[in-house]
Every structure is written in C-alpha cells, then in structure tokens.
Amino acid sequence: MKEREIPYKIYLEENEMPTKWYNVRADMKNKPAPLLNPATLEPMTAKELGVVFCDELVAQELNETDAYIDIPTEIRDFYKMYRPSPLVRAYCLEKKLDTPAKIYYKFEGNNTSGSHKLNSAIAQAYYAKQQGLKGVTTETGAGQWGTALSMACSYFDLDCKVYMVKVSYEQKPFRREVMRTYGASVTPSPSMTTEVGKKILSDHPGTGGSLGCAISEAVEVATKTEGYRYVLGSVLNQVLLHQSVIGLEAKAALDKYGIEPDVIIGCAGGGSNLGGLISPFMGEKLRGEKDYQFIAVEPASCPSFTRGKYAYDFCDTGMVCPLAKMYTLGSGFIPSPNHAGGLRYHGMSSTLSQLYDDGLMEARSVEQTSVFEAAEQFARVEGILPAPESSHAIRVTLDEALKCKETGEEKTIVFGLTGTGYFDMVAYEKFHNGEMVDYVPTDADLAQGFAGLPKVQ
Amino acid sequence: MKEREIPYKIYLEENEMPTKWYNVRADMKNKPAPLLNPATLEPMTAKELGVVFCDELVAQELNETDAYIDIPTEIRDFYKMYRPSPLVRAYCLEKKLDTPAKIYYKFEGNNTSGSHKLNSAIAQAYYAKQQGLKGVTTETGAGQWGTALSMACSYFDLDCKVYMVKVSYEQKPFRREVMRTYGASVTPSPSMTTEVGKKILSDHPGTGGSLGCAISEAVEVATKTEGYRYVLGSVLNQVLLHQSVIGLEAKAALDKYGIEPDVIIGCAGGGSNLGGLISPFMGEKLRGEKDYQFIAVEPASCPSFTRGKYAYDFCDTGMVCPLAKMYTLGSGFIPSPNHAGGLRYHGMSSTLSQLYDDGLMEARSVEQTSVFEAAEQFARVEGILPAPESSHAIRVTLDEALKCKETGEEKTIVFGLTGTGYFDMVAYEKFHNGEMVDYVPTDADLAQGFAGLPKVQ
C-alpha cells in the first residue's frame, strides 16, 4: 500500500470493533504472582475477594486460562458512544521533526473523562449492575477515574460514592463538578463518614488527605454497606483485561492498512493504559509470532520499574488491600510535592511487572520539564493538548524519532496518547512561568520506601 | 435502509470530506445588507476593509455570487487532524426520552479549542500567512476563539496577539494557559499597550474590561502595526462561509445513510455555528428543492432574534468597526451578570438576520436553568458534557422530541453540539448548588439598548 493512502486518522467501522477482550495472562509462561491475603499470606480466594469486588470481576481477576473473554452487548453499546478511538498518523509531527520514522498514536482522550479510564469503568459498573448491586465506591485523586466511574454509573443507574483526596477536592473543583453532573456523591477524604476517616482526622487534624486514605475509606464503605462493592481503576488484572480494547482496536486499525509497528510506547503509572495498549502485540510476541520493542515510560520522580524492587507489597498506604507482587517503591513512598506530571502510584500492575522481569519489555524514566517540553511541541503541531501523563510517552517517542533521524532508520512507532490536559493547566502554567523543577529521589529516599516493604517472599 | 444499520457515530472517510465551502449568499434572493462605513454611511469598499482584514478574507466577505469556494489544500490538511467530526445518532437519549423522534447531533467539540471555532480560525490564519503577514490580533472573552486562533497561528508559525477581557484573564486562567501553550501572547484588556486602552484605564481605573474594549484594542494594534491584521471569530459572512464545513459534512453523512432531517436546530450567539450547520440545507430550501424547519435558539437574557430590532448597528461597543444590519439589542446592551450560559453578543450575523426576516427560519429563546437541566440530562445518557452554549440547542431538541412523544410523530431532528463544557464548570457548580437564577430583560431594559442604535436606515 502506498504511503500517502494512509489517512490522518484511521477509524474502525462499528462492525470492526472488538467483541472480546484479550487476556494476555493466558499466553504468559510465567503467570503474574497471585494476590495474597495479608493475614494468612495465602493466595486470595474468590470468596475472599468477593467481599470487596463484584463476583464476575473476581472471576476475571483470577482467570489465567481464557485468552478471549466476550464483551457483553451492553458494554459494547456504550463503547459505541465514544469508541472506536482514532489511530492517528502524526504526519505534522513527523514533518516538524524531519524524521524518517513513521509515528502513530492511539488517542483515548475524546470522552468526558478525558482518558482511557472509561473503558474499564463501564465494564465494572455493568457487572455491578448485573449482580443486582445498589452502587459502588471508589477513591480518586485528581479525578479522572472518579469522573469515568460517575459517567458509567449514571448510564446504568447505579449509585456512585467517590472519596476524593481532600486537597484535590478543594483545589480542583472542576472535576468534582463533572462528577456531580453525572450524579455521583463526592466526599472529601478523610471524612467523618467512616471509622478510618474519623481516626485519621483525630490523629492528624487538618490533613489534606492522601490516595491511601481515600482507598481505605472507600473499601470500608463498600464492605460495610449492603449492596455495595469497591472498584479500582488501574493495577488489577481485570482492569488490564478491559483496557485491552485499546490494543485490539489499534492492532485492527494497523492491520487494515498493513502497517507493522517496530516500537510501541506507553506511559506507566499503575499500568492500565500501557497494559491495554500492548496486550495483543505482547500476545504475538509471547506466542513467538512477531517481535516488537515495548517501552514503558515513567516519571524519574516515581521510578517503580527503573529503580523499584520486584517484591510483594501493599497496594495502598492504608494497608487494607491484599498484597501484590510488583515492581514497587514501597507503599510509603510519596513523590516530591514538586511533581506535577501524574503517574504517582508507588507500584505497578503485577502482569506488567512479570513481563518486565522476564525481559519482554523495557522501561525508561524521564524528568518532568522535558515531558512538558515534549507536550508543548506536540500540541503545537498535532493540535491536541496532551495530559501530562500521556506526555511521558510523547517524550520518548520524540527521542526515538530523533534517533531515527540520525541513523536514517524508517521505524514505525506507535504510542498511547491516553488523554487530554484540560484540567492540568496549573501544571502547564508552572511550566510556562519557568517555575517547574525536576526531582529525582536519592538512593536514601528510595531506601526509606523499601524499608516499609512487608517481609514476604 | 433498516433502522439498526445506522451506527452510533457516522464518520466520513477522508476522501468524502468537503473540498469546497458553500456560500449560502449566492442562493439568497434578498442578499444580506452590506457593511457601512460609519463615517460616510456608504458600503465599505474592499480597500477600506483591507486596512483591517486580510485581502482574501475581504474578497470572501464581499462575495455574493460564487456558491462554492475551494478550500485550499493546506486548510484541508489541517481539517484532517480533527475532522471529519462525527454525526452521532443519540440512541441513548431517544431511549431515555421514550420518543419516536430520531435525534442526531453534529459534534464539534473534539478538538483542543473545545468548539467549532477552529474551522474558521485555521482559514483566517492561512490567508494571513499567504499574504505574507507577520501576525494577527484578536479579542477573546472566555477564550474559546482565542484558543482556536492560537492553535491555528501556531500551525502556520504566525504571531498571535490576543486581547483577553481582564476579568476573564484573571478568573479563568486555564484557557489563558492553553493559549500560551500554543505560543500566543495574551494581554489583559484594557491594557497600557494601546491608546484606547490607556484612555479607558484613565477614565475607569480598575475596570475589569469588556469585549467591546478588547475589540477596540485588537483593531488598533492591527491597523497600527506593520504586517498585522485583525481577525474575528463570528458574525461575519466569511466566518459563516468557513463554518459551512459543519453543514456540508453533516449533509454528506446523512445522505450516506439516506436520512432526511425534518428539523435542524442550533444555538445562536453571533451565528457562526448555526449559519455553518444550516447553510447547505438552507441552500436546498432557497432553491426550492427541499423543505426543512430551522430553529435558532438563543438565551432569554440576550434575545437578539426574538426581541431585537432589524436595524443597522455597531458591531462592537467601542464603535470602531463598520455598521452592520442585523437583529440587534443595541451595542450598549449587556446581559445580566447572572447570565452564565454564553451567547452574550448583542447582535446577529447579517446573513442569518436576512434569512430570519424573510421567514426562512424560526427562533426561540430559553432560560438558563432549563438549559442546564437539559445539559445534565444529555450528559448522563450520551456521555458528552456539553458547553452551556450548545445546551441551548439541546433544550429545544428535548422539547421537540417530547412533542413527538405526545403526537407520535417520527420526526428526524438534527442539532449542532458545538462544544464541550470543561471550562464552564463554575457555571455547572452554580447550577448544582441551586444558585443559578434566570433573568429576562424588561421592555424598559431593551429600550435602553435600542436608544443607542445609530440613526441610519
């Protein structure tokens, strides 16, 4: 196929959209390590997990054998409202960089949550509805996940209780109002509505809260309220499964035009976007059918892959959740408050951690000023104002494309553009005003986080 | 064609996108009245207009004979980055309303400017570049137009000077930062950089500025600076011409599936979105080929069509621009500060005014709390969080669809969803908190505005 026949944006037809999610664990020789019960250190059973999560989602969490899982019609209908997302050929960026590389990005920002989070939120809300639940609880920091879940619950007429880190609730009122538009109740955390919230408020009056505390409150409410369960927007196997829709669509769009990627790049916080994007390609690699270079990009200020340990750890700072084996900086690790670029989670999806440990993918860390430089450069030629998180992938894409310019290689690069930065303009403002600083934790900083790892092997 | 074969979203292929704009004036028997020189009261000549606007745009402004005008390749390439915009079948909304009506919307919000404004911004920047100019100036209120123009200028490497109403500059820093991301210089207006700004600051120290003042500053800088021209985002004939891409795409998408609309609805401030959306359909009506019902929707607090006068008026409160014949409330009319829903312009596109005066389209006014109710209802089932402006069209669409429910009529309704409301969450917050009030000007309020009309007939 001739080069210029590839349009700026490849959209699949509705009937070309995936009807099944792909479960990469089915093709992994070394399966991700199981979640452990923190009390017994035994693998969590379906029954134990069912106290916190919906039954069908527990089944998906534990399913290591089925490579494909049907996407229910109701979820596919919802997907049709904002998917397929476009696979965009970055013609203007290529021209600006004067690179022989061919650059594509899968853009997940064209929905009100502003990111890929909605792909899993709608699935989790659906299964909650199917189980006859009244509602779900969750935590949110800046609010992308909370927004996505609010939209999904509104669609299925489910109650949605969001615990939002208090400092974000007060300083970022816009996302809070988006959630309220979709009918969610948004409670600043810590709050007086839970035992754990009351305890934290009594121990630390005036605290601005943390994600760990918000998780603990959301889990407490879910487990103590009849007809409620807790849902989580990243890290878990079930979330990566739902997010495989990103990679499946991307692959179908590439196949449609006979395009073979060489490098696939994604940003990585908890791993849901990266895991979803690379899944079907990784499947081909695992089955020995094709080879690809996969690059996970993380902030230098929160370097779980590049400087973390592969060990069992708590998923939350409140230590109420099961233990997961993952690349981690320790659940007590908190990136510098100067860090504005997102991807602040201390650990990484167990599935991706195993793939990384097996040498099947690479990881790089980048500093935030260079990330915002890349974001601005991208915005000016491609139009889209990217989220800081997504811009980590842009940074490494620019680096790779410029390498191709030096070597003359015509590599095909695909990266995940997970979302838009409309609610991140305070960070952009810092960057424009020259007030943004980089931060790299010292070995001593990291040692403190590692010291909090549980003694499990 | 069977009902269910129509997908949720109709996307045109790249090669189905319009290659020409449609100029509805060519098919109008009664042409819109010409712009007048405020000093001589004679029609503005191309030479006079060329002091303020780019030459090619002046030619388009005055062109009443060519029905189709080629879209230059460079503009079409830019369009390919964010267009075609989807024509969406509102299946979920129809189901929720339980109406036999079939509802479609043309969604223009999937770009960083968050609205349809980019369609004309890129055209105006292109012609400025072609003329060898260094840059352009403009004004912006809340910032949608300024954002769109910044993006366009960044793409063509043109300087962009935006005068932003000072109160918005200070209270709405997000859009300001988006503009800065695209390299625009953003000056709070009134400023000390212009004669008119200095005078206003000396007469009214501490003023928060107004759109009229920002226009005057932008025009002054354009006319006094070598290599600069002024550009405007609505009202003008040239803008409606560029925005015809909305209607042309919508019509192509409908034709592709053999869909015949009965009613076409759009919100109307200065008229650029409505004019663009209805143009090709209005052309069919003007040529006697088809009939459609067109409904312009405006806020009850700024009712140019429904309660205005059809008369020559100043386009700006500073009275520096040519006189235009339009439905107007008088250039001194300012909607109540309680009005949060946009569409605050005192007048209306001359082209649309003539069509309305000729009885070819209808107009309705709606109150803002009912607009936000419609917005929220729409968001909860269709996912997209609409801009307050766009939600005026949603309000009347809901009303029409509910009428169909009563009568059993299976009308096909198409409305323009011009943009997203991500930067309007303060207004949504007011609505959620029950702090939003409606406002309808009294006849005495309107009489004050009419008293300022120039004595021209």
Side-chain angles (χ1 to χ4, degrees):
Chain A
M1 182 158 293
K2 268 188 268 156
E3 174 65 13
R4 291 301 306 182
E5 289 177 15
I6 296 170
Y8 279 66
K9 289 175 296 169
I10 306 176
Y11 277 110
L12 299 178
E13 299 290 325
E14 208 167 78
N15 59 18
E16 295 171 317
M17 288 172 67
T19 58
K20 296 165 193 292
W21 290 303
Y22 170 65
N23 180 11
V24 71
R25 286 167 290 161
D27 284 315
M28 289 169 69
K29 241 181 247 175
N30 301 324
K31 307 292 182 195
L35 296 170
L36 298 186
N37 182 321
T40 64
L41 300 185
E42 292 295 317
M44 291 287 286
T45 63
K47 196 176 165 190
E48 287 169 334
L49 285 168
V51 176
V52 179
F53 300 109
C54 302
D55 297 344
E56 189 58 34
L57 293 167
V58 169
Q60 293 181 356
E61 189 64 29
L62 299 175
N63 187 333
E64 296 185 338
T65 48
D66 298 323
Y68 288 95
I69 292 175
D70 283 336
I71 308 177
T73 307
E74 291 85 345
I75 298 174
R76 288 168 55 200
D77 279 348
F78 188 89
Y79 279 168
K80 287 175 192 168
M81 286 206 291
Y82 73 101
R83 310 197 66 80
S85 71
L87 181 76
V88 187
R89 173 71 184 266
Y91 282 121
C92 299
L93 182 62
E94 290 170 18
K95 194 173 155 193
K96 183 80 178 179
L97 297 175
D98 190 23
T99 174
K102 292 167 184 61
I103 305 173
Y104 295 85
Y105 53 93
K106 181 72 172 163
F107 179 43
E108 293 289 320
N110 271 350
N111 70 74
T112 296
S113 81
S115 82
H116 65 293
K117 297 278 184 185
L118 194 53
N119 301 332
S120 183
I122 192 64
Q124 298 195 45
Y126 170 76
Y127 291 117
K129 188 72 182 180
Q130 283 301 102
Q131 195 172 325
L133 298 180
K134 290 182 200 151
V136 292
T137 71
T138 200
E139 77 293 331
T140 201
Q144 276 179 328
W145 168 245
T147 304
L149 190 67
S150 304
M151 293 172 68
C153 287
S154 157
Y155 184 76
F156 285 125
D157 206 15
L158 270 176
D159 186 39
C160 179
K161 296 185 195 299
V162 180
Y163 284 83
M164 186 171 187
V165 177
K166 188 183 275 176
V167 63
S168 296
Y169 181 92
E170 286 164 358
Q171 291 178 3
K172 299 186 175 176
F174 283 11
R175 280 215 197 262
R176 179 186 79 206
E177 290 307 319
V178 177
M179 290 184 258
R180 288 178 74 194
T181 301
Y182 287 93
S185 75
V186 188
T187 307
S189 168
S191 75
M192 294 299 281
T193 66
T194 63
E195 293 310 313
V196 64
K198 284 179 203 162
K199 180 167 186 326
I200 290 168
L201 282 172
S202 129
D203 292 352
H204 306 91
T207 175
S210 72
L211 211 51
C213 164
I215 294 179
S216 305
E217 288 202 88
V219 171
E220 180 183 321
V221 172
T223 51
K224 285 190 177 169
T225 314
E226 179 67 27
Y228 280 75
R229 290 293 185 283
Y230 168 74
V231 297
L232 183 65
S234 189
V235 182
L236 297 174
N237 295 326
Q238 59 188 268
V239 179
L240 264 71
L241 175 71
H242 307 147
Q243 295 295 357
S244 70
V245 71
I246 305 173
L248 291 163
E249 278 187 10
K251 189 155 165 34
L254 291 166
D255 287 350
K256 203 167 164 174
Y257 285 84
I259 305 158
E260 297 266 354
D262 298 297
V263 192
I264 303 177
I265 300 170
C267 63
S272 72
N273 138 69
L274 179 70
L277 174 65
I278 68 173
S279 276
F281 302 96
M282 182 61 83
E284 292 184 302
K285 184 164 177 165
L286 287 164
R287 296 189 302 269
E289 296 162 9
K290 293 260 177 80
D291 195 19
Y292 302 101
Q293 182 184 15
F294 299 107
I295 308 176
V297 191
E298 59 186 15
S301 55
C302 191
S304 341
F305 266 145
T306 50
R307 296 176 69 199
K309 291 204 169 164
Y310 190 33
Y312 267 104
D313 194 10
F314 299 100
C315 289
D316 59 318
T317 23
M319 302 182 186
V320 299
C321 294
L323 301 177
K325 189 170 180 190
M326 52 187 179
Y327 275 85
T328 180
L329 300 166
S331 63
F333 179 84
I334 293 172
S336 154
N338 289 328
H339 176 60
L343 308 173
R344 305 169 67 93
Y345 190 63
H346 67 278
M348 186 60 67
S349 141
S350 291
T351 301
L352 290 183
S353 292
Q354 185 62 48
L355 292 166
Y356 180 64
D357 203 57
D358 287 341
L360 290 156
M361 51 184 279
E362 304 167 25
R364 295 197 196 152
S365 72
V366 290
E367 299 193 10
Q368 66 179 356
T369 50
S370 78
V371 166
F372 277 84
E373 277 162 22
E376 190 162 283
Q377 196 171 346
F378 179 83
R380 289 186 182 189
V381 289
E382 290 289 321
I384 298 167
L385 185 92
E389 292 84 353
S390 325
S391 304
H392 287 71
I394 298 176
R395 174 70 270 163
V396 169
T397 299
L398 296 187
D399 295 344
E400 290 294 307
L402 291 171
K403 258 190 241 167
C404 287
K405 187 176 174 177
E406 281 179 25
T407 62
E409 286 176 289
E410 293 188 17
K411 282 190 185 173
T412 296
I413 302 171
V414 173
F415 76 89
L417 188 67
T418 53
T420 51
Y422 306 141
F423 293 100
D424 300 292
M425 295 320 296
V426 172
Y428 273 93
E429 184 175 13
K430 267 193 188 170
F431 173 68
H432 295 146
N433 294 344
E435 294 159 3
M436 180 167 280
V437 291
D438 287 324
Y439 162 78
V440 180
T442 63
D443 287 342
D445 293 333
L446 294 187
Q448 281 196 332
F450 296 144
L453 287 173
K455 309 295 171 220
V456 188
Q457 289 322 315
Chain B
M1 180 157 294
K2 267 187 271 155
E3 173 66 13
R4 290 302 305 183
E5 288 177 16
I6 297 169
Y8 279 66
K9 289 175 295 168
I10 306 176
Y11 276 111
L12 299 177
E13 299 290 324
E14 208 168 78
N15 58 17
E16 296 171 319
M17 288 172 66
T19 58
K20 296 167 193 292
W21 291 302
Y22 170 65
N23 180 12
V24 72
R25 286 167 291 161
D27 284 315
M28 289 169 69
K29 241 181 247 173
N30 301 324
K31 308 291 182 195
L35 295 170
L36 297 187
N37 182 320
T40 64
L41 300 185
E42 292 295 317
M44 290 287 287
T45 62
K47 196 176 164 191
E48 287 169 335
L49 286 168
V51 177
V52 179
F53 301 109
C54 303
D55 297 344
E56 188 58 34
L57 293 167
V58 169
Q60 293 181 354
E61 190 64 28
L62 300 175
N63 188 333
E64 297 185 338
T65 48
D66 297 322
Y68 289 93
I69 293 176
D70 283 336
I71 308 176
T73 308
E74 292 84 346
I75 298 175
R76 287 168 56 200
D77 279 348
F78 187 89
Y79 280 169
K80 287 175 192 168
M81 287 206 290
Y82 72 102
R83 308 196 66 79
S85 71
L87 182 76
V88 187
R89 173 72 184 266
Y91 281 121
C92 298
L93 181 62
E94 290 171 18
K95 194 174 155 192
K96 183 79 178 179
L97 298 174
D98 190 22
T99 174
K102 292 167 183 59
I103 306 172
Y104 295 85
Y105 53 93
K106 181 71 171 163
F107 179 43
E108 291 289 320
N110 272 350
N111 70 75
T112 296
S113 80
S115 82
H116 64 294
K117 298 277 183 184
L118 194 53
N119 301 331
S120 183
I122 191 65
Q124 298 195 46
Y126 169 77
Y127 291 118
K129 187 71 182 180
Q130 283 301 101
Q131 195 171 325
L133 299 179
K134 291 183 202 151
V136 292
T137 71
T138 200
E139 76 294 331
T140 201
Q144 277 180 327
W145 168 246
T147 305
L149 190 67
S150 304
M151 292 173 68
C153 287
S154 157
Y155 183 75
F156 284 125
D157 206 16
L158 270 176
D159 186 38
C160 180
K161 297 186 195 299
V162 180
Y163 284 83
M164 186 171 187
V165 177
K166 189 185 273 175
V167 63
S168 296
Y169 182 92
E170 286 164 359
Q171 291 177 4
K172 299 186 177 177
F174 283 12
R175 280 214 196 262
R176 179 186 79 208
E177 289 307 319
V178 177
M179 290 184 258
R180 289 177 74 193
T181 302
Y182 289 92
S185 74
V186 187
T187 307
S189 167
S191 75
M192 295 298 283
T193 66
T194 64
E195 293 310 313
V196 65
K198 284 179 202 161
K199 178 167 188 324
I200 291 169
L201 282 172
S202 130
D203 293 351
H204 305 91
T207 175
S210 72
L211 210 50
C213 164
I215 293 179
S216 306
E217 289 202 87
V219 171
E220 180 183 323
V221 172
T223 51
K224 286 190 177 169
T225 315
E226 178 68 28
Y228 280 75
R229 290 293 184 284
Y230 167 73
V231 297
L232 183 64
S234 191
V235 182
L236 297 174
N237 296 326
Q238 58 188 270
V239 179
L240 264 71
L241 175 72
H242 306 148
Q243 295 296 356
S244 70
V245 71
I246 304 173
L248 290 163
E249 278 187 10
K251 189 157 164 33
L254 291 166
D255 287 350
K256 202 168 165 175
Y257 285 84
I259 305 158
E260 297 267 354
D262 299 297
V263 192
I264 303 177
I265 301 169
C267 61
S272 72
N273 138 69
L274 179 70
L277 174 65
I278 69 173
S279 275
F281 303 96
M282 183 61 84
E284 291 184 301
K285 184 163 176 166
L286 288 164
R287 295 189 303 270
E289 297 162 8
K290 293 260 177 82
D291 196 17
Y292 302 102
Q293 182 184 14
F294 299 107
I295 308 175
V297 191
E298 58 187 15
S301 54
C302 191
S304 342
F305 266 143
T306 51
R307 297 177 68 198
K309 291 201 171 171
Y310 190 34
Y312 267 104
D313 194 9
F314 299 100
C315 290
D316 60 316
T317 23
M319 303 181 185
V320 298
C321 294
L323 300 177
K325 189 171 179 189
M326 52 187 179
Y327 275 84
T328 180
L329 300 165
S331 64
F333 179 84
I334 293 172
S336 156
N338 289 328
H339 177 60
L343 308 173
R344 305 169 67 93
Y345 189 63
H346 67 278
M348 186 62 66
S349 140
S350 291
T351 300
L352 291 184
S353 292
Q354 186 61 49
L355 291 167
Y356 180 65
D357 203 56
D358 287 341
L360 291 156
M361 51 183 280
E362 303 166 26
R364 295 197 196 153
S365 72
V366 290
E367 300 193 9
Q368 65 179 358
T369 49
S370 79
V371 166
F372 278 84
E373 278 162 21
E376 189 162 283
Q377 197 172 347
F378 179 83
R380 290 187 181 188
V381 289
E382 289 289 321
I384 297 166
L385 185 92
E389 292 85 352
S390 325
S391 304
H392 287 72
I394 298 176
R395 173 72 270 164
V396 169
T397 299
L398 296 187
D399 295 344
E400 290 295 306
L402 291 171
K403 258 189 241 168
C404 288
K405 187 177 175 178
E406 280 178 26
T407 63
E409 285 177 289
E410 294 188 16
K411 281 191 186 174
T412 296
I413 303 170
V414 173
F415 75 90
L417 187 68
T418 53
T420 51
Y422 306 142
F423 292 100
D424 300 292
M425 296 318 297
V426 172
Y428 272 93
E429 184 175 13
K430 267 193 188 169
F431 173 68
H432 294 146
N433 294 344
E435 294 158 3
M436 180 167 279
V437 292
D438 288 323
Y439 162 78
V440 180
T442 63
D443 287 341
D445 294 333
L446 294 187
Q448 281 196 333
F450 296 143
L453 287 174
K455 307 298 170 218
V456 188
Q457 285 324 313

